[in-house]
Amino acid sequence: MKKKIFSIAIASILAVTALAGCGAGTGKEAAETTAADKVTLTNVSYDPTRELYAQYNEVFAKHWKEQTGQDVEITQSHGGSGKQALEVANGLEADVVTLALEYDVKAIQDAGLIEDGWVNEFDKDSSPYTSTIVFLVRKGNPKNIQDWGDIVKDGIGVITPNPKTSGGARWNYLAAWAYADKLYNGDEAQVKEFIKKLYQNVLVLDSGARGATTTFVENGQGDVLLAWENEAYLSIQDHPDEYEIITPSISILAQPSVAVVDEVVDKRGTREAATEYLQYLYSDEAQRIAGDNFYRPSNQEILQEYADTFDLDINLVTINDFGGWDKAQETHFADGGIFDEIYEKKE
């Protein structure tokens, strides 16, 4: 992969800035000086990271300025993770992607925009923070929803996004599958029937996680929202007297993935800034920003600082229990997969 040692990159930028300070001319020289003074990055992300990156971008801009003397401007794009990946693959220029799962980044790689090996470019499989799937219910839990078995009962209105377009929705589905798989000792026919009942209870299948939250919280639809843990906590923070979180007996370790979009950064000359933008997510400062926004820091020591917030003893399966994302996608979410088999669209 075309990577440069970051210290060399910093030195190069400082050298350009120093030359500019020695007396830039007009015209082309002035334009080059302006370019050296500022870099722009686009981060294409998924729905529930708006608040996280709004805070992180300010911190990173200060860090980059202190390190290089250069200003940085970051543009954000948010939507369902699968849809966002498709947009980038089809030409939306992103210097970096910070998506809901590895498979969506791999789709961009398959389009020829990200080089092999990206998952090993940053620590923890290029996943600087994690999350899991919980239930958000209305205060007092009037339907007494305690676990996955309760949300397949008659009369329960479920809100979850569409796994065809939303990464969070795929995590939701797989967490439910893991519960049913244990319940029925791996009997696939019974597991499929369980998942079918769950989706028969779904009232609205939004394209992304934030849209599903809006449906449940703002529009008042449904009895339970299958939600990213961080998204559920944000809802509690905004509406402390209206909702509560239920942690199911089994959930899944959700690992959002980050990557530099090689084709774009090499064209735009932004590789150094883009790489540091993702690398700095692992700094203590950024890890605490993740925790403050209800994502689980990948730094285990810092994660312990949030033990009063997160249930650190939750029983979590991982994507490896499904054979990895390629197999999970092919089995469950590809056209003609199990989701297509069991989901009956409401008229």
Side-chain angles (χ1 to χ4, degrees), residues 132 182 247-253 311-317:
T132 189
K182 181 179 180 182
T247 302
S249 62
I250 293 177
S251 194
I252 192 165
L253 178 66
D311 178 0
L312 300 184
D313 296 321
I314 186 174
N315 181 13
L316 299 177
V317 299

Side-chain angles (χ1 to χ4, degrees), residues 126-151:
S126 290
S127 181
Y129 43 80
T130 67
S131 191
T132 189
I133 303 305
V134 298
F135 304 158
L136 186 69
V137 300
R138 306 196 185 280
K139 197 71 172 181
N141 194 7
K143 295 294 181 75
N144 193 29
I145 295 167
Q146 301 296 334
D147 212 341
W148 293 101
D150 297 316
I151 67 175

Side-chain angles (χ1 to χ4, degrees), residues 196-238:
K196 183 174 182 177
K197 287 180 180 178
L198 190 162
Y199 281 93
Q200 285 174 339
N201 282 351
V202 173
L203 303 180
V204 179
L205 209 60
D206 288 291
S207 64
R210 184 54 58 87
T213 300
T214 299
T215 295
F216 184 75
V217 173
E218 304 296 337
N219 300 340
Q221 299 187 57
D223 301 303
V224 57
L225 172 69
L226 309 187
W228 287 96
E229 182 178 51
N230 63 286
E231 190 80 344
Y233 273 110
L234 286 174
S235 297
I236 295 288
Q237 180 177 272
D238 292 341

Side-chain angles (χ1 to χ4, degrees), residues 177-193:
W177 185 282
Y179 172 88
D181 187 62
K182 181 179 180 182
L183 179 65
Y184 296 115
N185 296 313
D187 185 325
E188 186 169 294
Q190 289 185 290
V191 175
K192 285 182 179 180
E193 187 60 27

Side-chain angles (χ1 to χ4, degrees), residues 12-305:
S12 299
I13 293 171
L14 289 173
V16 172
T17 305
L19 287 172
C22 291
T26 58
K28 182 179 179 181
E29 289 179 346
E32 290 174 348
T33 300
T34 300
D37 287 342
K38 182 177 181 180
V39 62
T40 61
L41 298 175
T42 296
N43 175 8
V44 172
S45 195
Y46 65 106
D47 265 335
T49 60
R50 288 172 168 82
E51 295 79 8
L52 166 64
Y53 282 108
Q55 188 174 351
Y56 174 70
N57 288 346
E58 293 183 8
V59 168
F60 176 74
K62 181 181 178 183
H63 164 72
W64 185 254
K65 180 76 169 180
E66 290 173 350
Q67 292 295 313
T68 69
Q70 191 177 47
D71 291 321
V72 60
E73 179 181 317
I74 300 120
T75 299
Q76 288 294 132
S77 173
H78 297 273
S81 186
K83 185 174 183 295
Q84 291 289 82
L86 183 62
E87 293 284 351
V88 174
N90 287 338
L92 174 62
E93 286 203 342
D95 299 274
V96 300
V97 289
T98 55
L99 296 175
L101 43 88
E102 180 182 325
Y103 183 83
D104 289 337
V105 179
K106 188 175 183 299
I108 301 171
Q109 175 190 331
D110 291 343
L113 301 177
I114 295 175
E115 296 174 6
D116 291 344
W118 66 268
V119 76
N120 299 314
E121 183 171 355
F122 302 102
D123 290 345
K124 310 289 186 180
D125 297 326
S126 290
S127 181
Y129 43 80
T130 67
S131 191
T132 189
I133 303 305
V134 298
F135 304 158
L136 186 69
V137 300
R138 306 196 185 280
K139 197 71 172 181
N141 194 7
K143 295 294 181 75
N144 193 29
I145 295 167
Q146 301 296 334
D147 212 341
W148 293 101
D150 297 316
I151 67 175
V152 300
K153 294 177 180 177
D154 292 342
I156 300 297
V158 178
I159 304 298
T160 182
N162 188 339
K164 290 288 195 175
T165 56
S166 166
R170 277 170 273 178
W171 291 118
N172 294 350
Y173 172 106
L174 293 175
W177 185 282
Y179 172 88
D181 187 62
K182 181 179 180 182
L183 179 65
Y184 296 115
N185 296 313
D187 185 325
E188 186 169 294
Q190 289 185 290
V191 175
K192 285 182 179 180
E193 187 60 27
F194 181 93
I195 299 298
K196 183 174 182 177
K197 287 180 180 178
L198 190 162
Y199 281 93
Q200 285 174 339
N201 282 351
V202 173
L203 303 180
V204 179
L205 209 60
D206 288 291
S207 64
R210 184 54 58 87
T213 300
T214 299
T215 295
F216 184 75
V217 173
E218 304 296 337
N219 300 340
Q221 299 187 57
D223 301 303
V224 57
L225 172 69
L226 309 187
W228 287 96
E229 182 178 51
N230 63 286
E231 190 80 344
Y233 273 110
L234 286 174
S235 297
I236 295 288
Q237 180 177 272
D238 292 341
H239 308 276
D241 299 323
E242 298 179 39
Y243 304 98
E244 58 187 86
I245 293 171
I246 303 297
T247 302
S249 62
I250 293 177
S251 194
I252 192 165
L253 178 66
Q255 292 180 287
S257 295
V258 303
V260 173
V261 184
D262 297 289
E263 185 79 13
V264 173
V265 298
D266 286 342
K267 181 175 71 174
R268 299 185 66 238
T270 56
R271 178 177 290 277
E272 290 80 14
T275 301
E276 181 64 2
Y277 181 79
L278 298 184
Q279 184 62 56
Y280 198 66
L281 286 168
Y282 294 87
S283 68
D284 288 355
E285 182 177 30
Q287 289 285 288
R288 291 190 174 95
I289 289 174
D292 291 344
N293 284 274
F294 306 112
Y295 283 93
R296 297 183 177 218
S298 63
N299 182 315
Q300 294 300 300
E301 290 184 4
I302 294 178
L303 174 61
Q304 290 299 321
E305 297 175 13

